[in-house]
Amino acid sequence: MSTVDIAAPREKYQRKKVSRGNFELYSWVFMRASGALLVVLIFGHLFVNLMVGDGVHAIDFAFVGGKWASPVWQIWDLLMLWLAMIHGNNGVRTILNDYVSRDLLRLWLKVILYTMTITIIVLGTLVIFTFDPCPVGADPDLLASFCQA
Ligand code: HEM
């Protein structure tokens, strides 16, 4: 017959897992704060791209070139990229911790997750800051108006 260990009623409560400090608390607070910021960033992005002026019909290479000529939109898009990626990465990390019980599988899924997140953040950041709105030899009709100057 097996026996079950029951702690003495006045014994101090002991956590089974090794404590990771307050990391999970901060990560939860980050989800809330980044979610609130993302609402502003995403709806601002959708409004400017889809509602202002000719709306969705205005979106082409010149539109993007014109937008990224302004540091305001560079920073706006950079924040949207970083926050959405880190928020999404942290959310999926939580889901993997909750649902994948096999240690090695969970480790590899996280390696894939972090690799994809870092790759997209690095590539997206490079695109925002190295984008050339006036490539040499391109059809002038496709470029932003300031390229002719
Ligand atoms: C307007 C934009 C967004 C808002 C307001 C928002 C809000 C939130 C909040 C508050 C949570 C935490 C829930 C909790 O644990 O209490 C959450 C979780 C999550 N979010 Fe977002 N989010 C937004 C955009 C995104 C985007 C762009 C992605 C993906 C790239 C994403 C992926 C996730 C995932 C995977 C979770 C974890 C869900 C879970 O724990 O079950 N979210 N979101």
Side-chain angles (χ1 to χ4, degrees), residues 28 31-32 35 38-39 42 84 87-88 91-92 94-95:
W28 176 78
M31 292 307 273
R32 296 284 159 129
L38 277 167
V39 172
I42 293 172
H87 175 105
V92 176
T94 307
I95 293 170

Side-chain angles (χ1 to χ4, degrees), residues 71-125:
V72 171
W73 288 115
Q74 282 186 321
I75 299 298
W76 189 287
D77 287 355
L78 186 79
L79 267 176
M80 210 159 51
L81 170 75
W82 279 62
L83 286 179
M85 289 311 297
I86 298 172
H87 175 105
N89 184 95
N90 198 39
V92 176
R93 179 188 69 81
T94 307
I95 293 170
L96 293 179
N97 281 342
D98 284 349
Y99 291 102
V100 186
S101 48
R102 283 166 55 197
D103 288 351
L104 200 61
L105 179 63
R106 194 173 60 249
L107 174 74
W108 277 108
L109 289 176
K110 281 190 196 171
V111 169
I112 294 170
L113 174 69
Y114 282 92
T115 307
M116 291 195 311
T117 301
I118 291 168
T119 306
I120 292 172
I121 287 180
V122 169
L123 289 183
T125 305

Side-chain angles (χ1 to χ4, degrees), residues 5-58:
D5 276 345
I6 298 174
R10 294 194 183 277
E11 193 170 296
K12 204 174 164 216
Y13 172 73
Q14 295 267 319
R15 265 177 190 274
K16 289 259 171 4
K17 278 181 143 185
V18 179
S19 169
R20 295 179 64 198
N22 279 333
F23 177 78
E24 291 300 339
L25 170 68
Y26 297 136
S27 114
W28 176 78
V29 172
F30 169 79
M31 292 307 273
R32 296 284 159 129
S34 58
L37 258 171
L38 277 167
V39 172
V40 177
L41 291 168
I42 293 172
F43 280 100
H45 169 83
L46 290 176
F47 181 73
V48 169
N49 284 16
L50 305 180
M51 316 280 281
V52 175
D54 287 339
V56 69
H57 303 291

